[in-house]
Amino acid sequence: MDPKMDSGMETCGYRSIEEAIDCGAAPIPFCSDRTVDIQCMIDVMDHLLACEEEDLFIMAFGLPLKEEGDEKCLSMLSAVEETVCRQLRACKALLSKKKTIEDVEPLQANPDLEEGYCRAVLCRLRFRKHLHHVLTCLRKPQGRGLELARKHIASCLLELAAMRESSGFLVCNTYVTSQVNVEDRTTASGCPPVGFEANLNARLSAPTPPRAIKILSWTKTLEYFEKLLQDLDVIGAVSLDLHVEELLEFIVKFQKSQPDLVARAHLQVLLIHDGKLYGRDPFHEVISQATALPHIMKNTELQKHELIQRLGQLLISLLKILCTNTAWQRRKLGKILQDWSIIAGQLDLSSSKESGDSFSVSIDENSWANTSANLLIWTEELIYWIAARYVMLGFELELYGPGEYCMVYWYLYIIFVKLMEKAQLRISQNSDASRRKGKKRRENSKDMARDARLSPKMLLLQCYIYLSEGLAMMSAALANERQSVKKWSAFSTEQEACARFFQHFDLLLKARVPDGVSYPLFKDSTAHVNFSAIVKYNYFRDIQRISKELKGSFSGDPERLSELRQIEQVAEHNRIALNVIHQVGACDPSLEISFVFSHHTCFAVAMVKRA
């Protein structure tokens, strides 16, 4: 036992559980009354579950069981489970006045309580076993254990429900009257566990790391594991055939549920194993598939090329970063942009046939120049995707004030436009490559007609472009036309506004993402915006028009439809607010205008009220 979790060890100086048992400080059994003894045992099991939180990667509550390890612990749990199952069958037979099939010793002395205690112990033991199997299966390489892990997750959730149901029985038959607040109870019965002092951790831990950790209450513990298992189930259901673009979208969607460290760590272990995607696919193959360059997989010399190797390492780093918490993710995304920008510059240089730079690998110059050009388009598209993610995470972290929304949405608008340009260029090049594989001229004309229309994903991106531009222009118009309203002024001086611009976008500007963006450009783009111009070119109405077209395309994708609905609601409310402001007059001092994130985490809705 951890000495800091056992008050007897701390006050009496015991350094091992064996010492505490031998000296009587940790009595086994807990009490000579067998009913009280089983109650105390269940309380200890509950308390240890509440103490666990993120320490789930090995069995026995993060501590190895002597030298035998987790497998020995698992076999012991199975043996105890079988014994309790036999006793449950025996007590059921006794209550139904049937002949007892098995002669087993009861858990405690009161026959009327035997079934309740057997069920309470069994669901806790079985939850432990299934949770161990869940984590073991998730750690298997190449996703070989995902299907079995989901079966154990379903069993874990059933046992959690049984544990919650047992709380009523345990509270009604508690051996002491609990004085602990409901929020601080770490057991189903509400009784403090024998051998544990709730305040010991807080009293002994220093204010500096490692700090005292507040132990979860019993209710919060059940909620914690239920949420964890649901997140792990999402990981278990992921397809292992996703392209890079689809995989990035999956991770972003997964992060929206705010998974904790354990779930995020298991996702990372699944994605990256032995330097391969899913522990199966080398990253030069992943890049080859993403860029529609199949010859990379066939050319071993090309696979060894320094730039392709570095792209693979950057892709690994990106996937790992996306699995971290929101604050750390944003910080690292801003820094990794520098590395992506550097490699984009090198690919740009290599794509020029005159450069003759093949980085010491013997490759045909013409072939490498064409390969570099394709890799450059894909790399630049990914750069703008990272930049968009970086800016949008700032909203989730509440890093932007209302007076800064104009510059943020303006920058995001430019990033989205560049992202769409690169995505369209990549799609066009991929289509050209497929046409060169011997298609007939009539088929080519059909492809050209199809390319002229935007795909559903590109139309959705177009909605985000209109949304960002519309919010940027609306914020600019408010700043320009309501300068007399003091409360709307975000900055006291131009120097302060410029400083905040560089504070928010410094890492993007250093990486030249996008190239040519500056604070003077932002000022020139927004200095003369007014509501008459915005109403005339109604960005929000265009979003509603596109969304109607997209509903049919996303009819089989509930998540996309939900995303589309959010965009529609933001556009609709802002369109109404825009018309009201234009009709009443932005300079009306009685008009109160604020921005709220009631329908989307990153795109605000203007709220207009009379003072």
Side-chain angles (χ1 to χ4, degrees):
M1 190 69 70
D2 185 346
K4 287 190 176 182
M5 292 177 64
D6 191 324
S7 58
M9 291 183 184
E10 180 60 32
T11 57
C12 301
Y14 303 113
R15 289 294 175 263
S16 70
I17 188 65
E18 289 79 8
E19 286 184 39
I21 292 172
D22 292 341
C23 296
I28 296 180
F30 291 106
C31 182
S32 57
D33 185 327
R34 296 182 61 191
T35 302
V36 175
D37 181 55
I38 192 65
Q39 291 174 343
C40 292
M41 183 188 72
I42 293 174
D43 289 340
V44 170
M45 293 171 71
D46 290 348
H47 183 75
L48 289 173
L49 193 66
C51 291
E52 199 150 341
E53 197 169 348
E54 294 175 350
D55 194 9
L56 294 165
F57 292 97
I58 59 176
M59 196 63 175
F61 312 103
L63 302 171
L65 186 66
K66 294 185 178 179
E67 65 277 357
E68 291 89 353
D70 294 346
E71 294 304 320
K72 178 66 175 178
C73 179
L74 190 62
S75 64
M76 291 172 64
L77 285 177
S78 297
V80 175
E81 179 189 4
E82 180 58 32
T83 300
V84 179
C85 281
R86 289 200 302 269
Q87 178 52 34
L88 179 59
R89 289 194 295 267
C91 75
K92 282 183 176 181
L94 183 62
L95 292 173
S96 62
K97 297 182 180 180
K98 294 181 180 179
K99 184 179 178 180
T100 303
I101 301 174
E102 301 178 77
D103 184 18
V104 294
E105 185 179 4
L107 294 179
Q108 46 82 56
N110 189 338
D112 296 333
L113 303 178
E114 185 68 8
E115 182 178 355
Y117 282 120
C118 285
R119 291 185 182 279
V121 172
L122 274 177
C123 63
R124 285 158 173 79
L125 290 176
R126 287 169 175 168
F127 175 79
R128 257 301 142 214
K129 284 182 56 181
H130 287 300
L131 182 61
H132 172 75
H133 288 306
V134 167
L135 302 178
T136 302
C137 291
L138 286 175
R139 286 196 294 265
K140 291 183 179 180
Q142 300 182 20
R144 289 194 295 263
L146 294 183
E147 184 177 353
L148 185 57
R150 296 193 71 193
K151 293 180 180 179
H152 285 293
I153 288 171
S155 299
C156 276
L157 291 171
L158 289 175
E159 301 306 333
L160 269 181
M163 290 163 65
R164 182 179 281 109
E165 187 178 348
S166 71
S167 298
F169 169 81
L170 295 172
V171 169
C172 292
N173 295 284
T174 181
Y175 58 96
V176 296
T177 303
S178 176
Q179 300 296 325
V180 183
N181 294 329
V182 176
E183 295 79 9
D184 298 327
R185 293 176 182 175
T186 60
T187 63
S189 68
C191 298
V194 175
F196 295 87
E197 183 185 340
N199 298 322
L200 184 65
N201 181 275
R203 287 194 290 104
L204 294 180
S205 297
T208 56
R211 297 182 178 87
I213 298 174
K214 181 175 175 60
I215 298 175
L216 296 177
S217 68
W218 176 246
T219 301
K220 293 293 184 183
T221 297
L222 296 179
E223 292 173 355
Y224 169 84
F225 280 103
E226 187 173 20
K227 174 66 166 60
L228 172 62
L229 289 165
Q230 290 170 351
D231 290 336
L232 294 178
D233 190 56
V234 173
I235 295 173
V238 66
S239 170
L240 302 186
D241 298 319
L242 298 178
H243 297 295
V244 171
E245 180 185 359
E246 297 169 326
L247 184 57
L248 295 178
E249 289 179 1
F250 167 78
I251 300 175
V252 171
K253 289 178 182 177
F254 179 70
Q255 288 279 27
K256 288 180 180 179
S257 68
Q258 298 182 332
D260 81 326
L261 173 63
V262 178
R264 289 187 276 107
H266 277 285
L267 177 59
Q268 180 178 315
V269 169
L270 171 65
L271 296 180
I272 310 296
H273 187 78
D274 290 338
K276 298 178 181 179
L277 185 63
Y278 310 121
R280 181 190 67 193
D281 304 328
F283 272 88
H284 66 262
E285 292 184 8
V286 177
I287 294 170
S288 173
Q289 186 183 46
T291 55
L293 296 173
H295 62 280
I296 294 180
M297 291 190 288
K298 302 175 184 177
N299 190 328
T300 55
E301 291 297 321
L302 200 56
Q303 294 167 15
K304 297 176 183 177
H305 197 286
E306 180 183 349
L307 291 182
I308 293 180
Q309 291 288 321
R310 285 174 59 190
L311 277 174
Q313 290 300 317
L314 283 176
L315 197 52
I316 290 174
S317 298
L318 176 60
L319 292 174
K320 288 182 177 180
I321 289 171
L322 292 174
C323 292
T324 60
N325 65 66
T326 304
W328 185 260
Q329 183 183 154
R330 187 178 190 273
R331 190 179 305 119
K332 289 298 182 180
L333 285 178
K335 292 181 179 179
I336 201 176
L337 270 175
Q338 304 283 333
D339 300 325
W340 282 95
S341 181
I342 290 172
I343 202 169
Q346 292 173 337
L347 286 169
D348 188 24
L349 183 63
S350 297
S351 63
S352 172
K353 296 181 181 180
E354 290 78 15
S355 66
D357 190 355
S358 295
F359 285 84
S360 74
V361 177
S362 178
I363 303 174
D364 178 73
E365 288 188 9
N366 290 331
S367 174
W368 173 241
N370 293 331
T371 301
S372 298
N374 282 271
L375 289 172
L376 175 61
I377 294 170
W378 175 76
T379 301
E380 289 180 332
E381 181 186 354
L382 204 49
I383 287 173
Y384 289 118
W385 186 91
I386 295 171
R389 178 71 177 156
Y390 172 83
V391 175
M392 293 175 75
L393 283 175
F395 286 104
E396 295 184 26
L397 294 168
E398 299 181 354
L399 301 180
Y400 312 128
E404 299 165 338
Y405 292 162
C406 181
M407 64 175 65
V408 174
Y409 286 124
W410 176 83
Y411 210 117
L412 193 57
Y413 158 71
I414 294 178
I415 291 173
F416 280 145
V417 169
K418 292 292 185 180
L419 176 59
M420 190 168 191
E421 288 177 0
K422 300 302 178 183
Q424 284 293 96
L425 188 57
R426 174 182 57 81
I427 293 170
S428 176
Q429 286 213 344
N430 292 350
S431 298
D432 290 342
S434 65
R435 293 187 194 117
R436 287 194 294 268
K437 293 181 180 179
K439 284 192 174 184
K440 295 179 181 178
R441 193 170 297 177
R442 184 175 56 185
E443 293 175 337
N444 288 349
S445 63
K446 291 181 180 179
D447 288 341
M448 292 176 68
R450 184 170 60 248
D451 291 345
R453 300 191 302 268
L454 292 177
S455 68
K457 287 186 178 180
M458 291 297 100
L459 285 173
L460 184 62
L461 181 56
Q462 184 67 61
C463 287
Y464 282 114
I465 290 174
Y466 284 143
L467 202 54
S468 302
E469 186 178 13
L471 285 168
M473 296 300 103
M474 181 187 287
S475 301
L478 285 170
N480 294 337
E481 297 189 20
R482 290 172 65 88
Q483 291 179 356
S484 58
V485 183
K486 186 177 181 181
K487 62 182 178 181
W488 191 257
S489 301
F491 311 105
S492 56
T493 63
E494 189 70 14
Q495 289 76 13
E496 182 184 351
C498 183
R500 296 306 292 271
F501 184 90
F502 282 100
Q503 178 185 349
H504 288 309
F505 310 120
D506 180 50
L507 294 176
L508 298 178
L509 295 170
K510 286 180 179 178
R512 303 182 66 155
V513 179
D515 194 13
V517 173
S518 63
Y519 179 74
L521 179 62
F522 160 68
K523 291 299 295 182
D524 292 343
S525 302
T526 58
H528 305 291
V529 177
N530 56 65
F531 279 99
S532 298
I534 300 176
V535 170
K536 183 178 179 180
Y537 184 72
N538 199 322
Y539 311 92
F540 304 119
R541 187 182 294 113
D542 290 336
I543 294 172
Q544 293 177 308
R545 174 181 52 80
I546 295 175
S547 65
K548 291 179 181 179
E549 300 177 21
L550 285 175
K551 286 180 180 178
S553 302
F554 295 146
S555 58
D557 191 340
E559 292 184 351
R560 284 291 192 193
L561 286 175
S562 176
E563 180 182 2
L564 192 61
R565 179 57 183 158
Q566 289 179 336
I567 296 172
E568 276 186 315
Q569 290 175 327
V570 173
E572 173 64 15
H573 284 78
N574 280 322
R575 185 184 65 81
I576 294 172
L578 182 64
N579 291 333
V580 170
I581 296 171
H582 180 61
Q583 291 172 6
V584 176
C587 297
D588 189 335
S590 66
L591 213 58
E592 291 187 356
I593 305 171
S594 60
F595 285 101
V596 295
F597 295 89
S598 53
H599 298 288
H600 199 286
T601 56
C602 301
F603 295 96
V605 168
M607 300 292 292
V608 184
K609 296 180 180 179
R610 284 285 190 182

